[in-house]
Coordinates of all heavy atoms in Angstrom, one line a residue:
M10 N 4.2 -1.1 -18.3 CA 3.5 -1.9 -17.3 C 2.0 -2.0 -17.6 O 1.4 -1.0 -17.9 CB 3.7 -1.3 -16.0 CG 3.1 -2.1 -14.9 SD 3.6 -1.5 -13.2 CE 2.1 -0.5 -12.8
N11 N 1.5 -3.2 -17.6 CA 0.1 -3.4 -17.8 C -0.7 -3.3 -16.5 O -0.2 -3.7 -15.5 CB -0.2 -4.7 -18.5 CG 0.3 -4.8 -20.0 OD1 0.3 -3.7 -20.6 ND2 0.6 -5.9 -20.4
A12 N -1.9 -2.8 -16.6 CA -2.7 -2.8 -15.4 C -3.3 -4.1 -15.1 O -3.7 -4.9 -16.0 CB -3.9 -1.8 -15.6
A13 N -3.4 -4.5 -13.8 CA -3.9 -5.7 -13.4 C -5.5 -5.6 -13.4 O -6.0 -4.6 -13.0 CB -3.4 -6.1 -12.0
V14 N -6.1 -6.7 -13.8 CA -7.6 -6.7 -13.8 C -8.1 -8.0 -13.2 O -7.4 -9.0 -13.2 CB -8.2 -6.5 -15.2 CG1 -7.9 -5.1 -15.8 CG2 -7.8 -7.6 -16.1
D15 N -9.3 -8.0 -12.7 CA -9.8 -9.2 -12.1 C -11.0 -9.6 -12.8 O -11.7 -10.5 -12.4 CB -10.2 -8.9 -10.6 CG -10.6 -10.1 -9.8 OD1 -10.0 -11.2 -10.0 OD2 -11.6 -10.0 -9.1
G16 N -11.3 -9.1 -13.9 CA -12.5 -9.4 -14.7 C -13.2 -8.2 -15.3 O -12.8 -7.1 -15.0
P17 N -14.3 -8.4 -16.0 CA -15.1 -7.3 -16.5 C -15.7 -6.4 -15.5 O -16.0 -6.8 -14.4 CB -16.1 -7.9 -17.4 CG -16.2 -9.3 -17.0 CD -14.9 -9.7 -16.3
V18 N -15.8 -5.1 -15.8 CA -16.4 -4.1 -14.9 C -17.4 -3.3 -15.7 O -17.1 -2.9 -16.8 CB -15.3 -3.1 -14.3 CG1 -16.0 -2.1 -13.5 CG2 -14.3 -3.9 -13.5
H19 N -18.6 -3.2 -15.1 CA -19.7 -2.4 -15.8 C -19.5 -1.0 -15.3 O -19.5 -0.7 -14.1 CB -21.1 -2.9 -15.3 CG -22.2 -2.1 -15.9 ND1 -22.7 -2.4 -17.1 CD2 -22.8 -1.1 -15.4 CE1 -23.7 -1.5 -17.4 NE2 -23.8 -0.7 -16.4
V20 N -19.3 -0.1 -16.3 CA -19.1 1.3 -16.0 C -20.2 2.2 -16.6 O -20.5 2.0 -17.7 CB -17.7 1.9 -16.5 CG1 -17.5 3.3 -16.3 CG2 -16.6 1.1 -16.0
S21 N -20.9 3.0 -15.7 CA -21.9 3.9 -16.2 C -21.4 5.3 -15.9 O -20.9 5.6 -14.9 CB -23.2 3.7 -15.4 OG -23.7 2.4 -15.6
V22 N -21.6 6.2 -16.9 CA -21.2 7.6 -16.8 C -22.5 8.5 -16.9 O -23.3 8.3 -17.8 CB -20.2 8.0 -17.9 CG1 -19.8 9.5 -17.7 CG2 -19.0 7.1 -17.9
F23 N -22.6 9.4 -15.9 CA -23.8 10.2 -15.8 C -23.4 11.7 -15.9 O -22.4 12.1 -15.4 CB -24.6 10.0 -14.5 CG -25.0 8.6 -14.3 CD1 -24.2 7.7 -13.6 CD2 -26.2 8.2 -14.8 CE1 -24.6 6.4 -13.4 CE2 -26.6 6.9 -14.6 CZ -25.8 6.0 -13.9
D24 N -24.3 12.5 -16.6 CA -24.1 13.9 -16.7 C -24.9 14.6 -15.5 O -26.1 14.5 -15.5 CB -24.6 14.4 -18.0 CG -24.4 15.9 -18.2 OD1 -23.5 16.5 -17.5 OD2 -25.0 16.5 -19.0
G25 N -24.2 15.1 -14.6 CA -24.8 15.7 -13.4 C -24.4 15.2 -12.1 O -23.5 14.3 -12.0
E26 N -25.0 15.7 -11.1 CA -24.7 15.3 -9.7 C -25.3 14.0 -9.3 O -26.4 13.6 -9.9 CB -25.1 16.4 -8.7 CG -24.5 17.7 -9.0 CD -22.9 17.7 -8.9 OE1 -22.4 17.0 -8.0 OE2 -22.3 18.3 -9.8
P27 N -24.7 13.2 -8.4 CA -25.3 11.9 -8.0 C -26.7 12.2 -7.4 O -27.0 13.1 -6.7 CB -24.4 11.4 -6.9 CG -23.1 12.1 -7.1 CD -23.5 13.5 -7.8
N28 N -27.7 11.3 -7.8 CA -29.0 11.3 -7.3 C -29.4 9.9 -7.0 O -29.9 9.2 -7.9 CB -30.0 12.0 -8.3 CG -31.4 12.1 -7.8 OD1 -31.6 12.0 -6.6 ND2 -32.3 12.4 -8.7
G29 N -29.1 9.5 -5.8 CA -29.5 8.1 -5.4 C -28.5 7.1 -6.0 O -29.0 6.1 -6.5
P30 N -27.2 7.3 -5.9 CA -26.3 6.4 -6.5 C -26.3 5.1 -5.7 O -26.6 5.0 -4.5 CB -24.9 7.1 -6.4 CG -25.1 8.0 -5.2 CD -26.5 8.4 -5.3
S31 N -25.9 4.0 -6.3 CA -25.7 2.7 -5.6 C -24.3 2.5 -5.4 O -23.4 3.0 -6.1 CB -26.4 1.6 -6.5 OG -25.9 1.6 -7.8
G32 N -24.0 1.8 -4.3 CA -22.6 1.5 -4.0 C -22.0 2.4 -3.0 O -22.7 3.2 -2.4
I33 N -20.7 2.3 -2.8 CA -20.0 3.1 -1.8 C -19.3 4.3 -2.5 O -18.9 4.2 -3.7 CB -19.0 2.3 -1.1 CG1 -17.9 1.7 -2.0 CG2 -19.6 1.2 -0.2 CD1 -16.8 1.0 -1.3
H34 N -19.2 5.4 -1.8 CA -18.5 6.6 -2.4 C -17.0 6.3 -2.4 O -16.4 5.9 -1.4 CB -18.8 7.8 -1.5 CG -18.1 9.0 -2.0 ND1 -17.0 9.5 -1.4 CD2 -18.3 9.8 -3.0 CE1 -16.5 10.6 -2.0 NE2 -17.3 10.8 -3.0
Y35 N -16.4 6.4 -3.6 CA -15.1 6.0 -3.8 C -14.1 7.3 -4.0 O -13.0 7.3 -3.5 CB -15.0 5.1 -5.0 CG -13.6 4.5 -5.2 CD1 -13.2 3.4 -4.4 CD2 -12.8 4.9 -6.3 CE1 -12.0 2.8 -4.6 CE2 -11.6 4.3 -6.5 CZ -11.2 3.2 -5.6 OH -10.0 2.7 -5.8
F36 N -14.7 8.3 -4.6 CA -13.8 9.4 -5.0 C -14.6 10.6 -5.4 O -15.6 10.5 -6.0 CB -12.9 9.0 -6.2 CG -12.1 10.0 -6.8 CD1 -10.8 10.3 -6.3 CD2 -12.5 10.7 -8.0 CE1 -10.0 11.3 -6.9 CE2 -11.7 11.6 -8.6 CZ -10.4 11.9 -8.0
T37 N -14.2 11.8 -5.0 CA -14.7 13.1 -5.5 C -13.6 14.1 -5.7 O -12.7 14.2 -4.8 CB -15.8 13.7 -4.6 OG1 -16.9 12.8 -4.5 CG2 -16.3 15.0 -5.1
A38 N -13.6 14.8 -6.8 CA -12.6 15.8 -7.0 C -13.1 16.9 -8.0 O -14.0 16.6 -8.8 CB -11.3 15.2 -7.6
S39 N -12.6 18.1 -7.9 CA -12.9 19.1 -8.8 C -11.7 19.3 -9.7 O -10.6 19.5 -9.3 CB -13.2 20.4 -8.0 OG -13.4 21.5 -8.9
L40 N -11.9 19.2 -11.0 CA -10.9 19.3 -12.0 C -11.1 20.4 -13.0 O -12.2 20.6 -13.5 CB -10.8 18.0 -12.9 CG -10.7 16.7 -12.1 CD1 -10.9 15.5 -13.1 CD2 -9.4 16.6 -11.4
P41 N -10.0 21.2 -13.2 CA -10.2 22.3 -14.2 C -10.2 21.7 -15.6 O -9.4 20.9 -16.0 CB -8.9 23.2 -14.0 CG -7.9 22.2 -13.4 CD -8.7 21.2 -12.7
I42 N -11.2 22.2 -16.4 CA -11.3 21.7 -17.8 C -10.9 22.9 -18.7 O -11.5 23.9 -18.8 CB -12.8 21.3 -18.1 CG1 -13.2 20.2 -17.2 CG2 -12.9 20.9 -19.6 CD1 -12.4 19.0 -17.3
S43 N -9.8 22.6 -19.5 CA -9.3 23.7 -20.4 C -9.5 23.3 -21.8 O -9.2 24.1 -22.7 CB -7.8 23.9 -20.1 OG -7.1 22.7 -20.4
A44 N -10.1 22.2 -22.1 CA -10.5 21.8 -23.5 C -12.0 21.4 -23.4 O -12.5 21.1 -22.4 CB -9.7 20.7 -24.0
R45 N -12.7 21.5 -24.5 CA -14.1 21.3 -24.6 C -14.4 19.8 -24.6 O -15.6 19.4 -24.5 CB -14.8 22.0 -25.7 CG -14.7 23.5 -25.6 CD -15.7 24.1 -26.5 NE -15.6 25.6 -26.4 CZ -16.2 26.3 -25.5 NH1 -17.0 25.7 -24.6 NH2 -16.1 27.6 -25.4
K46 N -13.4 18.9 -24.8 CA -13.6 17.5 -24.8 C -12.8 16.8 -23.8 O -11.6 17.1 -23.6 CB -13.3 16.9 -26.2 CG -13.6 15.5 -26.4 CD -13.5 15.0 -27.8 CE -12.1 14.7 -28.2 NZ -11.9 14.1 -29.5
I47 N -13.4 15.9 -23.0 CA -12.6 15.1 -22.1 C -12.7 13.6 -22.5 O -13.7 13.2 -23.2 CB -13.1 15.2 -20.6 CG1 -14.5 14.8 -20.4 CG2 -12.9 16.6 -20.1 CD1 -15.0 14.8 -19.0
I48 N -11.7 12.8 -22.2 CA -11.7 11.4 -22.6 C -11.5 10.6 -21.3 O -10.6 10.8 -20.6 CB -10.6 11.1 -23.6 CG1 -10.8 12.0 -24.9 CG2 -10.5 9.7 -23.9 CD1 -9.7 11.9 -25.9
L49 N -12.4 9.6 -21.1 CA -12.2 8.6 -20.1 C -11.8 7.3 -20.8 O -12.3 7.0 -21.8 CB -13.6 8.4 -19.4 CG -14.2 9.5 -18.7 CD1 -15.5 9.1 -18.1 CD2 -13.3 10.1 -17.6
H50 N -10.8 6.7 -20.2 CA -10.3 5.4 -20.8 C -9.8 4.5 -19.7 O -9.5 4.9 -18.6 CB -9.2 5.7 -21.8 CG -8.0 6.4 -21.3 ND1 -7.0 5.7 -20.6 CD2 -7.6 7.7 -21.3 CE1 -6.0 6.5 -20.3 NE2 -6.4 7.7 -20.6
D51 N -9.7 3.2 -20.1 CA -9.2 2.2 -19.2 C -7.6 2.4 -19.1 O -7.1 3.1 -20.0 CB -9.6 0.8 -19.6 CG -8.9 0.4 -20.9 OD1 -9.2 1.1 -21.9 OD2 -8.2 -0.6 -20.9
P52 N -7.0 1.8 -18.1 CA -5.5 2.0 -18.0 C -4.7 1.5 -19.3 O -3.7 2.1 -19.5 CB -5.1 1.1 -16.8 CG -6.4 1.0 -16.0 CD -7.5 1.0 -17.0
N53 N -5.2 0.6 -20.0 CA -4.5 0.1 -21.2 C -5.0 0.8 -22.5 O -4.5 0.5 -23.6 CB -4.7 -1.4 -21.4 CG -4.1 -2.2 -20.3 OD1 -3.1 -1.8 -19.7 ND2 -4.6 -3.4 -20.0
E54 N -5.9 1.8 -22.3 CA -6.4 2.6 -23.4 C -7.1 1.7 -24.5 O -7.0 2.1 -25.7 CB -5.4 3.5 -24.0 CG -4.9 4.6 -23.0 CD -4.1 5.7 -23.5 OE1 -4.3 6.0 -24.7 OE2 -3.2 6.1 -22.8
E55 N -7.7 0.6 -24.1 CA -8.4 -0.2 -25.1 C -9.8 0.3 -25.3 O -10.4 0.1 -26.3 CB -8.4 -1.7 -24.6 CG -7.0 -2.3 -24.6 CD -7.0 -3.7 -24.1 OE1 -8.0 -4.3 -24.0 OE2 -5.9 -4.2 -23.9
V56 N -10.4 0.9 -24.2 CA -11.8 1.4 -24.3 C -11.7 2.9 -24.0 O -11.1 3.3 -23.0 CB -12.7 0.7 -23.3 CG1 -14.1 1.3 -23.3 CG2 -12.8 -0.8 -23.6
Q57 N -12.3 3.7 -24.8 CA -12.3 5.2 -24.6 C -13.7 5.7 -24.8 O -14.4 5.3 -25.7 CB -11.4 5.9 -25.6 CG -9.9 5.5 -25.4 CD -9.0 6.4 -26.3 OE1 -9.5 7.2 -27.1 NE2 -7.7 6.1 -26.2
L58 N -14.1 6.7 -23.9 CA -15.3 7.4 -24.1 C -14.9 8.9 -24.1 O -14.2 9.3 -23.3 CB -16.2 7.1 -22.9 CG -16.7 5.7 -22.6 CD1 -17.3 5.6 -21.2 CD2 -17.6 5.2 -23.7
S59 N -15.5 9.6 -25.0 CA -15.2 11.1 -25.1 C -16.5 11.8 -24.8 O -17.6 11.4 -25.3 CB -14.6 11.5 -26.4 OG -15.4 11.2 -27.5
F60 N -16.4 13.0 -24.2 CA -17.5 13.8 -23.8 C -17.2 15.3 -24.1 O -16.1 15.7 -23.8 CB -17.9 13.7 -22.3 CG -18.2 12.3 -21.9 CD1 -17.2 11.5 -21.4 CD2 -19.5 11.8 -22.0 CE1 -17.4 10.2 -21.1 CE2 -19.8 10.5 -21.6 CZ -18.7 9.7 -21.1
R61 N -18.2 16.0 -24.6 CA -18.0 17.4 -24.8 C -18.5 18.1 -23.6 O -19.6 17.8 -23.1 CB -18.7 17.9 -26.1 CG -18.1 17.2 -27.3 CD -18.5 17.8 -28.6 NE -18.0 19.2 -28.9 CZ -16.8 19.6 -29.1 NH1 -15.8 18.7 -29.0 NH2 -16.5 20.8 -29.4
R62 N -17.7 19.0 -23.0 CA -18.1 19.7 -21.8 C -17.8 21.2 -21.9 O -16.9 21.6 -22.7 CB -17.3 19.2 -20.6 CG -17.4 17.7 -20.3 CD -18.8 17.3 -19.8 NE -19.1 18.1 -18.6 CZ -20.2 18.0 -17.9 NH1 -21.1 17.2 -18.3 NH2 -20.3 18.7 -16.8
P63 N -18.5 22.0 -21.2 CA -18.1 23.5 -21.2 C -16.8 23.7 -20.4 O -16.5 22.8 -19.6 CB -19.3 24.1 -20.5 CG -20.0 23.0 -19.7 CD -19.7 21.8 -20.4
L64 N -16.1 24.7 -20.8 CA -14.9 25.0 -20.0 C -15.2 25.4 -18.6 O -16.3 25.9 -18.3 CB -14.2 26.2 -20.7 CG -13.7 25.9 -22.2 CD1 -13.1 27.2 -22.8 CD2 -12.8 24.8 -22.2
G65 N -14.3 25.2 -17.7 CA -14.5 25.5 -16.3 C -14.2 24.3 -15.5 O -13.7 23.3 -15.9
D66 N -14.5 24.4 -14.2 CA -14.3 23.3 -13.3 C -15.3 22.2 -13.4 O -16.5 22.5 -13.7 CB -14.3 23.8 -11.8 CG -13.1 24.6 -11.5 OD1 -12.1 24.6 -12.3 OD2 -13.1 25.4 -10.5
L67 N -14.9 21.0 -13.3 CA -15.7 19.8 -13.4 C -15.6 19.0 -12.1 O -14.5 18.7 -11.7 CB -15.3 19.0 -14.6 CG -16.0 17.6 -14.9 CD1 -17.5 17.9 -15.3 CD2 -15.3 16.8 -15.9
T68 N -16.7 18.6 -11.5 CA -16.7 17.7 -10.4 C -16.9 16.3 -10.9 O -17.8 16.0 -11.6 CB -17.8 18.1 -9.4 OG1 -17.6 19.4 -8.9 CG2 -17.8 17.1 -8.2
V69 N -15.9 15.5 -10.5 CA -16.0 14.0 -10.8 C -16.3 13.3 -9.5 O -15.5 13.4 -8.6 CB -14.7 13.6 -11.5 CG1 -14.8 12.1 -11.8 CG2 -14.4 14.4 -12.7
T70 N -17.3 12.5 -9.5 CA -17.7 11.7 -8.3 C -17.8 10.3 -8.8 O -18.5 10.0 -9.8 CB -19.0 12.2 -7.7 OG1 -18.9 13.6 -7.4 CG2 -19.3 11.4 -6.4
V71 N -17.2 9.3 -8.0 CA -17.2 7.9 -8.4 C -17.8 7.1 -7.3 O -17.4 7.3 -6.1 CB -15.8 7.5 -8.7 CG1 -15.7 6.0 -9.1 CG2 -15.2 8.3 -9.9
F72 N -18.7 6.2 -7.6 CA -19.2 5.2 -6.7 C -18.9 3.8 -7.2 O -18.8 3.6 -8.4 CB -20.7 5.4 -6.5 CG -21.1 6.6 -5.8 CD1 -21.3 7.8 -6.5 CD2 -21.3 6.6 -4.4 CE1 -21.6 9.0 -5.8 CE2 -21.7 7.8 -3.8 CZ -21.9 8.9 -4.5
A73 N -18.7 2.8 -6.3 CA -18.4 1.5 -6.8 C -19.0 0.5 -5.8 O -19.3 0.9 -4.6 CB -16.9 1.3 -6.9
D74 N -19.2 -0.7 -6.2 CA -19.7 -1.7 -5.3 C -18.6 -2.3 -4.4 O -18.9 -3.0 -3.4 CB -20.4 -2.8 -6.0 CG -19.5 -3.7 -6.9 OD1 -18.5 -3.2 -7.3 OD2 -19.8 -4.9 -7.1
S75 N -17.3 -2.0 -4.7 CA -16.2 -2.5 -3.9 C -15.0 -1.6 -4.1 O -14.9 -1.1 -5.2 CB -15.8 -4.0 -4.3 OG -14.6 -4.3 -3.7
G76 N -14.2 -1.4 -3.1 CA -13.1 -0.5 -3.2 C -11.9 -1.2 -3.9 O -11.0 -0.5 -4.4
K77 N -11.8 -2.5 -3.9 CA -10.6 -3.2 -4.5 C -10.9 -3.7 -5.9 O -10.2 -3.3 -6.8 CB -10.2 -4.3 -3.6 CG -8.9 -4.8 -4.0 CD -8.3 -5.7 -2.9 CE -6.9 -6.1 -3.3 NZ -6.2 -6.9 -2.3
F78 N -11.8 -4.6 -6.1 CA -12.1 -5.2 -7.4 C -13.6 -5.0 -7.7 O -14.3 -6.0 -7.6 CB -11.7 -6.6 -7.5 CG -10.2 -6.9 -7.3 CD1 -9.7 -7.5 -6.2 CD2 -9.3 -6.4 -8.3 CE1 -8.3 -7.7 -6.1 CE2 -8.0 -6.6 -8.2 CZ -7.5 -7.2 -7.1
P79 N -14.1 -3.9 -8.1 CA -15.5 -3.7 -8.3 C -16.0 -4.4 -9.5 O -15.3 -4.6 -10.5 CB -15.6 -2.1 -8.5 CG -14.3 -1.7 -9.0 CD -13.3 -2.7 -8.4
D80 N -17.3 -4.8 -9.4 CA -18.1 -5.3 -10.5 C -18.7 -4.2 -11.3 O -19.0 -4.3 -12.5 CB -19.1 -6.3 -10.1 CG -18.5 -7.6 -9.5 OD1 -17.5 -8.1 -10.1 OD2 -19.0 -8.1 -8.5
F81 N -19.1 -3.1 -10.6 CA -19.7 -1.9 -11.3 C -19.1 -0.6 -10.7 O -18.7 -0.6 -9.5 CB -21.2 -1.9 -11.2 CG -21.8 -1.5 -9.9 CD1 -22.0 -0.2 -9.6 CD2 -22.2 -2.5 -9.0 CE1 -22.5 0.2 -8.3 CE2 -22.7 -2.1 -7.7 CZ -22.9 -0.8 -7.4
V82 N -19.1 0.4 -11.6 CA -18.6 1.7 -11.2 C -19.5 2.7 -11.8 O -20.0 2.6 -12.9 CB -17.1 2.0 -11.7 CG1 -16.7 3.4 -11.5 CG2 -16.2 1.0 -11.1
E83 N -19.9 3.7 -11.0 CA -20.7 4.8 -11.5 C -19.9 6.1 -11.5 O -19.3 6.4 -10.4 CB -22.0 5.0 -10.7 CG -22.9 3.9 -10.8 CD -24.2 4.1 -9.9 OE1 -24.2 5.0 -9.0 OE2 -25.1 3.3 -10.0
I84 N -19.8 6.8 -12.6 CA -19.0 8.1 -12.7 C -20.0 9.2 -13.0 O -20.7 9.1 -14.0 CB -17.9 8.0 -13.8 CG1 -17.0 6.8 -13.5 CG2 -17.2 9.3 -13.9 CD1 -16.0 6.5 -14.6
Y85 N -20.0 10.2 -12.1 CA -20.8 11.4 -12.3 C -20.0 12.6 -12.7 O -19.0 12.9 -12.0 CB -21.6 11.7 -11.0 CG -22.6 10.6 -10.7 CD1 -22.2 9.5 -10.0 CD2 -24.0 10.8 -11.1 CE1 -23.2 8.5 -9.7 CE2 -24.9 9.8 -10.8 CZ -24.5 8.6 -10.1 OH -25.4 7.7 -9.8
L86 N -20.3 13.3 -13.8 CA -19.6 14.4 -14.3 C -20.5 15.6 -14.1 O -21.5 15.8 -14.8 CB -19.2 14.3 -15.7 CG -18.4 13.0 -16.1 CD1 -18.2 13.0 -17.6 CD2 -17.1 13.1 -15.4
G87 N -20.2 16.5 -13.1 CA -21.1 17.6 -12.9 C -20.3 18.9 -12.8 O -19.1 18.9 -12.5
S88 N -20.9 20.0 -13.2 CA -20.3 21.3 -13.2 C -20.2 21.8 -11.7 O -21.1 21.6 -10.9 CB -21.0 22.3 -14.0 OG -21.0 21.9 -15.4
V89 N -19.2 22.6 -11.4 CA -19.1 23.2 -10.1 C -19.9 24.4 -10.0 O -20.0 25.2 -10.9 CB -17.6 23.5 -9.8 CG1 -17.4 24.2 -8.5 CG2 -16.8 22.2 -9.7

């Protein structure tokens, strides 16, 4: 099954906690990291970003300009 899209989305990824993010708070979770590299990718795996991170828990916080079809998304990767 292919993911539905409504057009291009500008995605920014930041190392650290949110400091004056723009948009609405969409998601926050703490994830255990058991490998030193994490990969962020789109649903069709056409675009991939990889990051080296220390082992341990990782807080992922996401902000967007819209909850349904955002034009921009901000992803913050911070240590717990």
